[in-house]
Amino acid sequence: AIAAPTSITESVGGDSLVDLEIWYDGADESTIVPSGIADEDPVNQWNDKSGLAHNLNFDGGNNKPTYESSDTQNGYGYVQFADGDLMSINPLSSLSGATAYTVFVIARSTDLATNATQILTSTENGELSIQIDTNGTARFKVGASSATTASSTVQADEWNIYTLVYNGTANIVGRVNDGKLPSQTIVSAGAVAGPAAMGASTYFYVGGDNTGGTFIGDIGEVILFKKALN
């Protein structure tokens, strides 16, 4: 009965918008570089809409993800990652020392079997890592600790909303939503030894990590707040 919010501004309070660090929106083709990109063409850069210019650049050698604008999801385009495609941003100096985070990712894995783990997002130090195991277990990692769902929570070729919330002292909270709110799987892990603070020159990876981990599938949106949203 309540209209769905049409923007981040309508979804969260103004105090949270101050802590909005990243917003990659595949539905907004103007954020995809090169401009006027054709369907299935390589993506050189995915521009950030947070206002902080944390633009995402390809980081996979000659491998680049591609933009899908014909086989859309609810009319929205998205970025397609093949095995070995990778994008990153460095440095995230505004995240230096941050110990609380909220990360949202809208994604569809198209191949859970090729690699041991599919990695949606990560940093080189392991904070903010959202992963999918071959058996469909979703894994939300902050430092050395993680929260995991049951096997088969994630199915190949299905869009999901992944959420990682960590407030710096208590549990990691992970959510997998099949897009039909409020249906979701929620998991919580024990307190993180730390807190797991961000370094001053932290890389943030989308579509894999710096150890060779990759993601095979489609990513429609990535949002990162420097605070734990309720």
Side-chain angles (χ1 to χ4, degrees):
I2 300 174
T6 59
S7 67
I8 292 177
T9 307
E10 290 186 4
S11 303
V12 301
D15 59 331
S16 293
L17 289 177
V18 175
D19 297 302
L20 175 63
E21 291 284 334
I22 285 173
W23 181 13
Y24 306 126
D25 181 9
D28 185 351
E29 193 170 320
S30 69
T31 66
I32 305 297
V33 178
S35 60
I37 189 170
D39 183 47
E40 305 287 352
D41 273 1
V43 175
N44 294 333
Q45 185 170 291
W46 194 355
N47 287 337
D48 172 32
K49 294 175 66 173
S50 73
L52 299 178
H54 290 151
N55 300 328
L56 200 63
N57 296 282
F58 80 93
D59 193 0
N62 293 323
N63 298 325
K64 296 181 181 180
T66 58
Y67 188 67
E68 179 59 58
S69 59
S70 61
D71 183 18
T72 59
Q73 173 67 12
N74 294 332
Y76 299 128
Y78 45 86
V79 178
Q80 295 184 304
F81 291 81
D83 193 8
D85 295 346
L86 183 63
M87 303 193 82
S88 69
I89 169 65
N90 174 66
L92 284 175
S93 57
S94 57
L95 276 177
S96 177
T99 57
Y101 329 102
T102 302
V103 183
F104 299 97
V105 181
I106 299 178
R108 170 176 62 181
S109 174
T110 56
D111 182 355
L112 290 174
T114 296
N115 299 316
T117 302
Q118 303 287 314
I119 299 177
L120 296 172
T121 66
S122 184
T123 63
E124 74 267 36
N125 298 317
E127 312 97 336
L128 314 182
S129 183
I130 301 176
Q131 307 176 1
I132 311 168
D133 294 344
T134 54
N135 64 0
T137 299
R139 191 177 302 276
F140 304 85
K141 299 188 68 176
V142 175
S145 301
S146 65
T148 59
T149 65
S151 61
S152 300
T153 297
V154 178
Q155 302 289 330
D157 299 316
E158 290 186 356
W159 286 95
N160 288 290
I161 304 168
Y162 300 85
T163 307
L164 184 159
V165 182
Y166 175 59
N167 70 2
T169 58
N171 293 351
I172 305 166
V173 176
R175 297 182 176 92
V176 178
N177 185 286
D178 63 5
K180 303 177 181 67
L181 290 169
S183 172
Q184 60 186 346
T185 299
I186 303 175
V187 294
S188 182
V192 175
M198 282 282 197
S201 60
T202 294
Y203 277 79
F204 183 74
Y205 297 93
V206 174
D209 67 7
N210 58 319
T211 67
T214 63
F215 173 67
I216 302 174
D218 310 317
I219 297 180
E221 195 162 12
V222 180
I223 303 170
L224 167 61
F225 287 91
K226 188 174 59 177
K227 70 180 299 182
L229 299 183
N230 61 24

